[in-house]
Each structure stands twice: as structure tokens, then as C-alpha cells.
Amino acid sequence: PEVRLLYALPAEDSIAPAEEDASPVLYTATNFAALRKPFLAILKSGVLNTSHRHLDNLSLILPPYADDLGTPGYAHPMTGSWYRCAHSHNTVLIDGGQPGAVLPSHVEAAGDGIRAVMDAPMTEGLNTAMRTLTPEGDTVLDEMLLEADSMHTYDWLFHCTGEFSMNAGSHKDDSLSDKPCFAHYEDVRRVTAADSLVCTFAQPDGRTVVVTVPEAENYEIFTALTPDNPADRRRHTLLLRVRGTTAKFVVKYEMR
């Protein structure tokens, strides 16, 4: 019910699946799609109106742990530099930048899953940008595909609350410090993972968010601490980096 209240237009609400129905939910007028099984997983891809101007195209939400932060208030000094920006959302950055405005996109069904697709390039020469969530038993498969005419640096972001641990080593690294979008990233560490990377985010309520990167050797990997809401709290951030004309990010999520 809360999802429909926040994101559905009246006409969409009237045809929404019943609560006991486990099928995906698509609210195309607001570029919002949700998987309800095996757990709630949301794709939210911006809308071109005055009520929501966050640069969150192709963003993922796993409420209430890997959530959209909203803002601490429009007068807050970090609203423009963090809360409304792409780099505070679970999305992708291209060459350390973000679009100058919310761009056209749409959501659609994709087999048993959901997909968000950009209808305008997030940067010049980017021909394809899409993200697909597919339920696989107790997990959700996340696949993001980006294709361009020229070389780019693609940074895939995942922010989550909880106590963080992983099955790989890391060391301090300043590779992100040259980009303004990473100004709020603290304790940046480069991860050494030769195989599958498994990250856990243990929550105070006893649940654990598990993020698995099956082929970790395909990425440069970083972790960091980033602002939560309120801004004096911190979340843990996982960053996967690919350099090339094409990038495909493949990740699995589980709630234990």
C-alpha cells in the first residue's frame, strides 16, 4: 500500500496487482517498478516534473536498508551537493559526472523481472543504458548494461546501512579524490578480490543484506563511508569500476 500511495497515479492504483499477488509492479507514469518477491526491490528512474528532480536514473532501492535518502531539507547545505545528486543513489556515474538534468527514461517488464531504460543518453555518445532486476529463487539478479561509441569510466554504486564485512582484503586508496562527486566519500579503500566478492551489511533488526559480485576480477573495486540522512550518520558504499566502451555490471542480492 505504501508503494502505491507514494508513486502511483490514481488510474495506475486502480489496476495495481492485489497485495497477495507476487507479480512485479510497474508505474510507468512515474518511472517506478518493483519486485515483490523474494523481497522488495525497486527500480526508480527519475521523472520529468517539478515534484522530483533527483538525478537518480536507473537507481536501485532495497528498502529500508539500501534506500533513497530523500533530503534533510531543501535549505540543508548538502542538498545540492549530495542528496539530489546521482552519486548519493544506487546508480552509475560516467566519467565521474552526472547528467545536468533529469533525463527521459521508462520502466518495463522483462520476463519475470523489471527493467529501467534510458531514452536519452546520460552522456554524449552513450547508446545504451539499462538495468534489469530478475528474481532467482531467494536472490535478485541485478544486470546493468552501458554501451558507448568511445572510452569511458563507469562507476556502479551501492550504498547501504549496517555493519559491513566482506570476504576480501583492502587497503587505503586515493584514486577517487580527483573527482568532485566523491568529495563526500571518506575512508576510501581499494579491494583485492580475485574471485567472487561477498559483502554483508548486518542490520540492527537482525537481518543481513548480502551483495555478491560473481566475477569480481572484471572490476576495480572500492569501499567507502558516505553520508546518510541525517548527514552526521554514515552508510557503507561499494563501488565497482569498469573502463571501456562497454560495461556490464552483474550483482546478486539476498536478504537473510
Side-chain angles (χ1 to χ4, degrees):
E2 294 84 0
V3 166
R4 288 156 61 178
L5 175 65
L6 289 172
Y7 298 106
L9 296 181
E12 293 178 313
D13 184 62
S14 66
I15 60 172
E19 291 304 313
E20 61 273 13
D21 185 350
S23 60
V25 176
L26 294 174
Y27 295 134
T28 57
T30 46
N31 292 346
F32 176 97
L35 292 180
R36 295 191 286 177
K37 297 292 182 181
F39 47 84
L40 184 59
I42 296 168
L43 287 179
K44 188 160 72 70
S45 199
V47 288
L48 292 169
N49 61 37
T50 57
S51 67
H52 183 76
R53 289 280 184 179
H54 290 202
L55 299 175
D56 61 357
N57 290 116
L58 306 183
S59 67
L60 165 80
I61 302 173
L62 301 179
Y65 313 117
D67 218 341
D68 188 312
L69 293 178
T71 71
Y74 290 113
H76 193 279
M78 290 173 58
T79 294
S81 65
W82 179 249
Y83 291 100
R84 295 179 65 178
C85 296
H87 39 274
S88 72
H89 294 81
N90 297 332
T91 183
V92 66
L93 304 181
I94 302 174
D95 298 325
Q98 61 181 353
V102 178
L103 297 174
S105 64
H106 70 272
V107 294
E108 62 189 25
D112 294 331
I114 53 178
R115 178 179 293 134
V117 182
M118 295 303 302
D119 297 322
M122 298 169 74
T123 192
E124 185 176 354
L126 186 68
N127 302 314
T128 301
M130 65 176 67
R131 187 173 202 167
T132 306
L133 299 183
T134 307
E136 291 190 343
D138 293 332
T139 69
V140 171
L141 175 66
D142 179 4
E143 299 173 288
M144 181 183 286
L145 176 64
L146 303 120
E147 297 176 326
D149 294 329
S150 57
M151 296 285 289
H152 293 284
T153 298
Y154 302 98
D155 290 327
W156 177 100
L157 305 173
F158 181 79
H159 307 277
C160 192
T161 61
E163 183 177 343
F164 176 76
S165 64
M166 62 181 173
N167 66 340
S170 66
H171 59 271
K172 291 187 73 66
D173 189 282
D174 61 359
S175 299
L176 307 184
S177 61
D178 61 335
K179 297 293 185 181
C181 64
F182 298 122
H184 295 296
Y185 283 53
E186 303 169 359
D187 191 24
V188 176
R189 304 185 68 85
R190 181 182 288 269
V191 177
T192 304
D195 200 353
S196 177
L197 175 68
V198 180
C199 302
T200 61
F201 302 80
Q203 305 300 322
D205 62 6
R207 300 201 72 184
T208 299
V209 180
V210 181
V211 179
T212 301
V213 184
E215 297 181 347
E217 67 273 12
N218 292 340
Y219 313 103
E220 291 181 74
I221 303 177
F222 301 86
T223 62
L225 295 173
T226 54
D228 198 346
N229 188 4
D232 59 353
R233 297 191 314 209
R234 292 293 179 266
R235 296 192 295 178
H236 289 277
T237 297
L238 176 66
L239 184 154
L240 308 181
R241 172 171 285 180
V242 170
R243 305 176 196 267
T245 56
T246 298
K248 185 173 184 179
F249 298 97
V250 180
V251 176
K252 289 187 176 184
Y253 309 105
E254 184 180 357
M255 294 280 188
R256 296 177 182 171

